[in-house]
Amino acid sequence: MSEQSNQPSHVPNERDPLIGSRYIKGPISQYIHYISKFLKKLQFIKIFTIALIIGTFFTLHGSEKPEGYVIYNANIYTVDEKNPKIEAFTVLDGKFVDVGTRLDLLQKWTNLKPVDLQGRTVIPGLIDAHAHLMHLGDALTSVNLIGAKSTEEVIQRIHEYIKTHPDKNEWITGWGWDQTLWPSKSFPTSNDLDIDPILSQYAISLVRIDGHALWVNGRILDILVKDKIPLEIDGGEIVKDKETGQLTGIFVDNAMKLIYQISPQPTDQQLSANLKAAIYEMHSHGLTGIHDAGVLPKLLKFYKNTILSNPQDFNIRNYAMVECDDNIYCGDQIEKIEGLGDGRLTIRSAKMFMDGALGSWGAALLEPYSDDPTKQGLLISDPALFPPVISRWMDDDFQVNTHCIGDKANHLIINAYGKCFKDYILSKQNGKNITEEELIKEVKKLGESVRFRIEHAQILTLDDIKRVGELNIIPSMQPTHATSDMKYAEQRLGSERIKGAYAWRSFIDAGYDII
């Protein structure tokens, strides 16, 4: 996410024929957790994706929206094995309706606008298999801290934000800080913000780049102290000074809820602004679809209401994963949806969380961290909770996708998925005996059918990598985890444990499907 993105000339406030079309389904996918970082890198890729073509067309032909186009003179990839490249195609009322040669289509569709792309490259809309739509929108409308090299630079960026947002209320949010980029490599403290007299006038809450830690200033700590915060919190860490025992201003994983509970809640107007900002950013880089990895029920209702009332404000294809508070089952609050609004929204999967993240020492490990033997990571919930909740989602015919970073978290979710599969198969036998060999075959068939995922599958033992295939679990892996963590991952994990981390080649060589 750059501070100044290369924006297309046309902001997609109306339904654009090439954006969000139900036929833009190309399996070209970018499986990246930190979508903002991915978007920044995409600026250097010299291709014109479908979304960028729209901007080009409106630049050349004005703002009037035609009913269709004939696109020609382009390097067009279809991702169709039988017809991988074409010379021209036709779009009518938001759908691909024809492909062929330039002459054939121009003669056949004389009533449509011809668009000469002058040899540019066209690919299907990109799909991000693990993204956070509203988190992106919130990040785009708050303080951008990505790439900040010190606490001093963080303070400088907050000052710049205040100057450009004079109407901002007393609570300021930001996103993207990463202490591993700083000289100290250690967590910041509230004092780092409080030394600035201007910032001390605001309540400041800043999210780490992985979304698993919050850094707040003294003004927020004063509010918390009045509310009598707990000494400890399950599945989270309230970081304290080792000598004084005082709060440092860092809250990890479940402890972050203490801050969110007292934070101002966004209005519908703010949610709409964040949604538009996120989708605009997506379109400007050719992203037309996402798997939205964790959406609370109230936000799912917001999505649905937006699509029904203003579908032009939701011109993406969103495969949304239901996120329930504390990993409990909330299926009774959820309406199963398949392709609402001409494919804009599908809800038939659930997101669960097993652990935290490596950068904040929250990834749950089987053995202590190599760079801090006092830590072994955090389990967000009691592992015993998972099998019964997963089974209920299975009964609802929902896919289950679980966040797992550390090797302990991955080991536990493989166990949980395996137990659910076996229990389900045995429950369908109606008293009939089944051999162990038959059970193993049926479990693998069930795994292929339900398509359960491990989100990130970042650090596994070599034995657990094999077990993933035995259960037909899908590893949903993000390349930027490897690139963002590579400077410190081996320091955290050690030379042996790192062998099972970021193991794309091991999964591929074993014949697994990876998304």
Side-chain angles (χ1 to χ4, degrees):
M1 183 189 310
S2 61
E3 293 183 22
Q4 283 188 317
S5 61
N6 295 325
Q7 297 177 339
S9 58
H10 168 64
V11 180
N13 287 328
E14 295 191 31
R15 168 127 189 178
D16 291 324
L18 298 186
I19 295 176
S21 164
R22 66 180 297 173
Y23 291 103
I24 300 180
K25 299 180 70 171
I28 292 180
S29 303
Q30 301 297 327
Y31 308 127
I32 298 172
H33 180 55
Y34 304 133
I35 183 172
S36 58
K37 199 169 185 178
F38 165 57
L39 294 177
K40 183 176 181 181
K41 293 180 183 298
L42 263 186
Q43 293 177 26
F44 301 101
I45 299 178
K46 295 184 178 179
I47 59 176
F48 273 68
T49 61
I50 298 284
L52 292 180
I53 292 168
I54 292 299
T56 302
F57 176 80
F58 277 89
T59 299
L60 295 174
H61 298 277
S63 60
E64 181 182 355
K65 183 170 77 73
E67 293 182 357
Y69 316 92
V70 176
I71 307 292
Y72 68 94
N73 190 17
N75 186 27
I76 304 168
Y77 290 89
T78 66
V79 201
D80 179 349
E81 292 181 0
K82 296 180 180 179
N83 197 18
K85 292 183 70 175
I86 57 175
E87 185 178 330
F89 62 86
T90 300
V91 173
L92 185 64
D93 294 330
K95 296 177 175 62
F96 290 99
V97 296
D98 206 355
V99 298
T101 67
R102 175 181 67 87
L103 289 176
D104 286 346
L105 295 190
L106 288 176
Q107 291 174 1
K108 182 178 180 179
W109 300 93
T110 57
N111 60 322
L112 300 183
K113 298 269 188 177
V115 180
D116 182 350
L117 289 184
Q118 302 175 1
R120 294 183 176 95
T121 295
V122 180
I123 64 174
L126 298 171
I127 304 169
D128 192 324
H130 186 107
H132 300 276
L133 181 63
M134 297 305 288
H135 289 181
L136 172 60
D138 186 52
L140 289 168
T141 56
S142 61
V143 185
N144 179 1
L145 302 176
I146 297 173
K149 296 296 192 293
S150 65
T151 56
E152 290 78 15
E153 186 174 349
V154 168
I155 291 173
Q156 177 187 346
R157 293 196 190 185
I158 298 174
H159 272 282
E160 292 170 355
Y161 180 84
I162 292 172
K163 288 178 182 178
T164 57
H165 297 77
D167 58 341
K168 188 66 180 176
N169 59 27
E170 294 184 353
W171 197 290
I172 292 177
T173 60
W175 183 84
W177 61 270
D178 182 355
Q179 84 285 357
T180 67
L181 302 177
W182 305 344
S184 69
K185 311 295 183 186
S186 59
F187 275 146
T189 69
S190 58
N191 291 335
D192 293 322
L193 298 172
D194 294 339
I195 59 174
D196 188 286
I198 294 178
L199 300 194
S200 63
Q201 300 173 34
Y202 296 86
I204 299 176
S205 173
L206 310 173
V207 184
R208 193 181 184 278
I209 192 165
D210 56 18
H212 286 265
L214 273 172
W215 170 23
V216 304
N217 69 345
R219 187 159 181 179
I220 291 180
L221 291 182
D222 289 341
I223 299 172
L224 284 177
V225 169
K226 291 178 182 177
D227 291 343
K228 296 182 180 179
I229 66 171
L231 294 176
E232 295 181 353
I233 189 163
D234 290 339
E237 181 182 5
I238 305 168
V239 180
K240 299 175 183 177
D241 186 282
K242 293 181 180 179
E243 295 182 0
T244 67
Q246 297 298 308
L247 301 179
T248 66
I250 295 293
F251 297 80
V252 182
D253 288 312
N254 281 351
M256 297 165 64
K257 295 176 184 178
L258 297 171
I259 308 300
Y260 290 136
Q261 288 169 0
I262 62 173
S263 302
Q265 297 303 302
T267 63
D268 285 346
Q269 184 178 7
Q270 289 171 323
L271 289 175
S272 295
N274 291 352
L275 177 66
K276 287 182 180 180
I279 293 177
Y280 177 76
E281 185 76 359
M282 287 176 58
H283 285 173
S284 73
H285 298 278
L287 280 161
T288 59
I290 61 170
H291 294 191
D292 205 346
V295 188
L296 294 169
K298 62 181 180 181
L299 273 181
L300 291 173
K301 291 179 181 178
F302 167 74
Y303 285 178
K304 180 181 177 182
N305 291 339
T306 300
I307 292 168
L308 294 177
S309 59
N310 298 295
Q312 70 278 3
D313 290 343
F314 209 95
N315 269 347
I316 59 169
R317 302 168 62 88
N318 190 336
Y319 182 76
M321 307 176 196
V322 180
E323 178 184 339
C324 308
D325 287 332
D326 301 321
N327 281 324
I328 63 173
Y329 171 81
C330 65
D332 51 353
Q333 304 174 38
I334 303 302
E335 176 187 1
K336 192 175 183 181
I337 292 175
E338 190 75 42
L340 178 70
D342 200 18
R344 285 172 167 83
L345 180 64
T346 293
I347 304 172
R348 52 177 171 81
S349 64
K351 174 73 179 295
M352 301 184 74
F353 295 83
M354 184 65 80
D355 66 344
L358 190 68
S360 49
W361 293 276
L365 302 180
L366 293 167
E367 300 293 337
Y369 278 82
S370 297
D371 63 344
D372 188 347
T374 67
K375 296 182 182 296
Q376 203 166 330
L378 299 167
L379 292 174
I380 301 301
S381 300
D382 183 347
L385 171 149
F386 284 80
V389 173
I390 292 169
S391 293
R392 294 193 67 179
W393 286 119
M394 282 183 68
D395 291 341
D396 292 342
D397 197 25
F398 268 57
Q399 182 188 45
V400 177
N401 312 314
T402 306
H403 165 110
C404 296
I405 301 288
D407 53 10
K408 182 176 183 178
N410 280 285
H411 183 77
L412 289 170
I413 201 58
I414 294 169
N415 289 348
Y417 285 170
K419 174 176 171 49
C420 291
F421 293 170
K422 289 181 180 180
D423 289 349
Y424 182 87
I425 296 298
L426 293 174
S427 71
K428 302 299 181 181
Q429 298 309 306
N430 297 319
K432 175 186 172 183
N433 291 328
I434 182 171
T435 67
E436 185 66 22
E437 183 179 354
E438 291 172 331
L439 179 59
I440 291 172
K441 288 182 179 179
E442 290 300 314
V443 162
K444 191 160 188 174
K445 285 171 57 178
L446 179 61
E448 185 176 17
S449 173
V450 299
R451 295 177 58 80
F452 282 7
R453 290 163 46 166
I454 299 179
E455 299 301 310
H456 314 309
Q458 189 169 326
I459 305 158
L460 289 82
T461 65
L462 300 183
D463 285 341
D464 277 341
I465 289 176
K466 296 177 183 177
R467 293 174 66 213
V468 167
E470 292 169 0
L471 295 173
N472 265 326
I473 299 168
I474 299 173
S476 172
M477 304 172 72
Q478 291 69 49
T480 53
H481 278 183
T483 57
S484 64
D485 298 358
M486 63 185 179
K487 292 182 179 180
Y488 62 84
E490 188 165 353
Q491 181 182 355
R492 292 272 199 278
L493 300 173
S495 58
E496 284 301 313
R497 197 160 37 185
I498 196 70
K499 294 176 181 178
Y502 320 99
W504 281 271
R505 176 50 55 190
S506 296
F507 281 114
I508 292 170
D509 287 346
Y512 303 163
D513 291 329
I514 299 177
I515 63 171

